[in-house]
């Protein structure tokens, strides 16, 4: 089933993570995850009975598990009272739904280099990764090792792996690529090659731009040309130059600067109008939000709207009338911003629906939500109550 924007409630556009998580949730309930167990296999039957970690006694059992599951975590630790084993046991309880855990009863069953180790076997990338038992100090440290080892260096983002990437809480490098496109195929190879350099620091994924290219703007890209690449983390995004070719050297340098904190955050923004304010109403975009709202020397009454929102369309002439009436007042700005096409500080200005209207005192005062009568009179009374401006010029209007 191919979902397009028309199949999803429009409110999902408020925040790109909300869209992705809801989108993949609907797909997940229709498609089994990669690690779904086959009830006919011996390894699956044993694991289902144990439901946590399995004690294996033969090489055949180890090989069967390696063949059955995409990722298995094996503790080759003889001393079950050791810190390493106890930590392994506790981690297996927490992560048993994600990975399959096994304990070797006889350390000689594994290769000599794997004794006194916690070993991750996987069916992709580097087939084996080890963590020396002597270096296990905490469950957090071991969990991070398993999570980093158990995820592909570079993979298509989909319902099977979405939660794996999100649960890491690591920056994600998004490559938007077109199918059957030479440039996109070349970009995939570049990202795959660079991924190993930033393993454990940035998760690398690609997404089908033909289906979901509209979401590129949610990670700081213009979305007008593919392939395109951006890093996104905690509502901050950093776009690779969309006019430049994605080469291994250029991408490695870009990601190195990101890790070092030397990249300027990309701002999703419409083009700022030549004249910000017309007939008292100020149009704010992503690139002018800080100047005209957050750090303004005027009190700002701002509407966050969406172009498709019926209530916003109904409010538009009323809001324009309010702006026109307050145009003569110095120190008050009536403004509006398309919240679906422009970035703004979402923590300071939490928008849960459209329209959302807020009063922002000058010089970064405490933001006040407007939840009263949306008539000209109701909004003017609210502004007069919270603003320090002189309203003598509109006295007769109240």
């Amino acid at each position: 089933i191919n979902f397009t924007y028309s199949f999803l409630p429009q409110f999902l556009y408020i925040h790109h993570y909300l869209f992705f998580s809801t989108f993949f949730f609907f797909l997940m309930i229709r498609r089994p995850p990669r690690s779904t167990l086959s009830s006919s296999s011996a390894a699956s039957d044993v694991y289902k009975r144990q439901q946590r970690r399995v004690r294996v006694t033969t090489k055949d059992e180890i090989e069967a598990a390696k063949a059955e599951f995409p990722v298995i975590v094996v503790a080759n630790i003889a001393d079950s009272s050791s810190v390493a084993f106890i930590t392994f046991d506790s981690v297996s309880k927490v992560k048993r739904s994600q990975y399959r855990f096994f304990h070797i009863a006889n350390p000689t069953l594994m290769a000599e280099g794997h004794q006194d180790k916690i070993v991750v076997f996987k069916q992709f990338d580097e087939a084996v990764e080890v963590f020396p038992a002597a270096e296990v100090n905490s469950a957090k440290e071991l969990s991070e090792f398993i999570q980093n080892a158990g995820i592909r260096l570079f993979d298509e983002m989909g319902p099977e792996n979405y939660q794996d990437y999100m649960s890491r809480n690591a920056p994600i490098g998004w490559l938007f690529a077109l199918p059957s496109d030479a440039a996109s195929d070349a970009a995939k190879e570049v990202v795959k090659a660079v991924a190993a350099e930033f393993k454990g620091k940035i998760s690398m994924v690609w997404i089908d731009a033909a289906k979901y290219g509209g979401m590129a703007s949610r990670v700081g890209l213009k979305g007008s040309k593919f392939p395109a690449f951006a890093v996104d983390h905690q509502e901050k995004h950093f776009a690779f130059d969309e006019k430049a070719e994605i080469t291994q050297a250029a991408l490695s340098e870009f990601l190195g600067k990101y890790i070092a904190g030397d990249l300027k955050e990309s701002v999703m923004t419409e083009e700022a109008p030549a004249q910000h304010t017309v007939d008292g109403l100020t149009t704010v975009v992503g690139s002018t939000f800080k100047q005209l709202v957050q750090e303004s020397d005027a009190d700002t009454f701002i509407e966050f709207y969406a172009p498709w929102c019926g209530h916003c369309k109904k409010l538009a002439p009323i809001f324009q009338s309010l702006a026109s009436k307050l145009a003569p007042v110095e120190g008050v700005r009536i403004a509006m911003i398309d919240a679906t096409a422009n970035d703004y500080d979402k923590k300071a200005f939490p928008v849960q629906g459209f329209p959302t209207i807020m009063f922002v005192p000058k010089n970064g005062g405490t933001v006040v939500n407007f939840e009263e009568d949306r008539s000209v009179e109701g909004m003017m009374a609210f502004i007069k109550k919270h603003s320090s401006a002189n309203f003598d010029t509109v006295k007769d209007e109240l």
Side-chain angles (χ1 to χ4, degrees), residues 19-77:
F19 174 89
F20 277 124
S21 59
T22 306
F23 167 75
F24 286 127
F25 169 77
F26 282 116
L27 287 186
M28 285 174 74
I29 62 177
R30 290 168 170 79
R31 193 183 305 176
R34 288 176 181 167
S35 58
T36 296
L37 305 183
S38 169
S39 59
S40 62
S41 73
S44 294
D45 289 342
V46 171
Y47 199 87
K48 283 181 175 180
R49 288 197 299 271
Q50 298 289 337
Q51 288 296 311
R52 192 175 79 211
R53 58 176 172 79
V54 174
R55 183 180 176 88
V56 293
T57 57
T58 68
K59 288 184 178 181
D60 288 343
E61 288 176 332
I62 298 173
E63 294 305 316
K66 288 164 62 177
E68 174 69 20
F69 306 116
V71 179
I72 66 170
V73 185
V74 180
N76 189 6
I77 303 172

Side-chain angles (χ1 to χ4, degrees), residues 82-123:
S82 66
V83 171
F85 180 83
I86 293 172
T87 303
F88 168 82
D89 191 52
S90 67
V91 170
S92 72
K93 295 175 184 177
V94 176
K95 292 192 170 294
R96 63 187 179 186
S97 63
Q98 291 178 271
Y99 307 105
R100 306 302 179 240
F101 292 83
F102 299 86
H103 175 226
I104 299 295
N106 181 356
T108 62
L109 295 178
M110 296 198 35
E112 185 175 342
H114 293 162
Q115 293 180 3
D116 291 320
K117 302 284 195 307
I118 294 173
V119 187
V120 175
F121 293 99
K122 48 190 177 178
Q123 298 172 359

Side-chain angles (χ1 to χ4, degrees), residues 326-355:
L326 289 179
V329 178
E330 293 186 10
V332 171
R333 174 177 288 121
I334 307 302
M336 59 193 304
I337 181 172
D338 180 349
T340 69
N342 296 281
D343 274 336
Y344 55 91
D345 187 337
K346 294 180 176 63
K347 290 183 178 179
F349 300 87
V351 175
Q352 303 299 327
F354 299 121

Side-chain angles (χ1 to χ4, degrees), residues 154 156 175-194 206-209 226-228 245-248 251:
F154 179 56
E156 180 179 10
L175 174 66
F176 286 79
L178 294 169
S180 303
D181 175 68
S184 292
D185 291 342
K188 287 181 185 178
E189 292 302 315
V190 167
V191 178
K192 184 177 181 180
V194 172
W206 71 273
I207 190 166
D208 188 338
F226 301 112
E245 181 183 358
I246 302 174
T247 65
Q248 187 168 338
L251 185 61

Side-chain angles (χ1 to χ4, degrees), residues 93-374:
K93 295 175 184 177
V94 176
K95 292 192 170 294
R96 63 187 179 186
S97 63
Q98 291 178 271
Y99 307 105
R100 306 302 179 240
F101 292 83
F102 299 86
H103 175 226
I104 299 295
N106 181 356
T108 62
L109 295 178
M110 296 198 35
E112 185 175 342
H114 293 162
Q115 293 180 3
D116 291 320
K117 302 284 195 307
I118 294 173
V119 187
V120 175
F121 293 99
K122 48 190 177 178
Q123 298 172 359
F124 50 85
D125 299 334
E126 299 174 2
V128 181
E129 294 194 40
V130 298
F131 196 121
E135 297 179 13
V136 175
N137 296 311
S138 68
K140 180 177 182 294
E141 186 179 45
L142 181 58
S143 293
E144 289 177 353
F145 163 74
I146 294 171
Q147 204 145 356
N148 286 332
I151 202 165
R152 295 172 188 263
L153 282 175
F154 179 56
D155 200 8
E156 180 179 10
M157 175 69 85
E160 305 94 338
N161 58 11
Y162 172 76
Q163 287 298 337
D164 292 338
Y165 285 104
M166 292 300 108
S167 64
R168 295 183 74 195
N169 194 31
I172 295 181
W174 296 88
L175 174 66
F176 286 79
L178 294 169
S180 303
D181 175 68
S184 292
D185 291 342
K188 287 181 185 178
E189 292 302 315
V190 167
V191 178
K192 184 177 181 180
V194 172
E197 182 182 349
F198 296 93
K199 180 178 180 179
K201 299 176 182 177
I202 304 174
S203 301
M204 303 291 194
V205 301
W206 71 273
I207 190 166
D208 188 338
K211 295 178 181 178
Y212 317 118
M215 294 311 301
S217 63
R218 307 298 164 183
V219 294
L221 294 165
K222 293 180 181 178
S224 57
K225 179 179 177 292
F226 301 112
F229 182 89
V231 176
D232 183 66
H233 188 224
Q234 296 180 344
E235 299 183 14
K236 295 182 179 181
H237 21 262
F238 303 81
F240 184 87
D241 186 355
E242 293 176 72
K243 297 178 181 179
E245 181 183 358
I246 302 174
T247 65
Q248 187 168 338
L251 185 61
S252 179
E253 180 182 6
F254 173 81
L255 294 174
K257 288 182 177 179
Y258 169 76
I259 293 297
D262 294 335
L263 284 185
K264 184 178 180 181
E265 182 182 351
S266 301
V267 176
M268 181 175 68
T269 181
E270 296 177 297
E271 184 176 353
Q275 188 174 347
H276 297 305
T277 304
V278 177
D279 194 17
L281 183 60
T282 299
T283 298
V284 179
V285 297
S287 60
T288 62
F289 188 85
K290 184 174 288 187
Q291 171 197 349
L292 297 176
V293 181
Q294 282 186 288
E295 298 177 357
S296 173
D297 57 1
D299 294 329
T300 303
F301 191 66
I302 183 168
E303 175 197 357
F304 296 82
Y305 75 94
W308 42 259
C309 167
H311 293 295
C312 301
K313 294 175 181 178
K314 183 178 179 180
L315 179 62
I318 302 172
F319 211 69
Q320 177 62 69
S321 178
L322 171 72
S324 300
K325 292 179 185 301
L326 289 179
V329 178
E330 293 186 10
V332 171
R333 174 177 288 121
I334 307 302
M336 59 193 304
I337 181 172
D338 180 349
T340 69
N342 296 281
D343 274 336
Y344 55 91
D345 187 337
K346 294 180 176 63
K347 290 183 178 179
F349 300 87
V351 175
Q352 303 299 327
F354 299 121
T356 291
I357 304 174
M358 301 181 188
F359 177 84
V360 187
K362 61 184 179 182
N363 301 320
T366 303
V367 177
V368 182
N369 282 319
F370 174 77
E371 298 176 345
E372 300 179 20
D373 178 25
R374 291 177 185 166

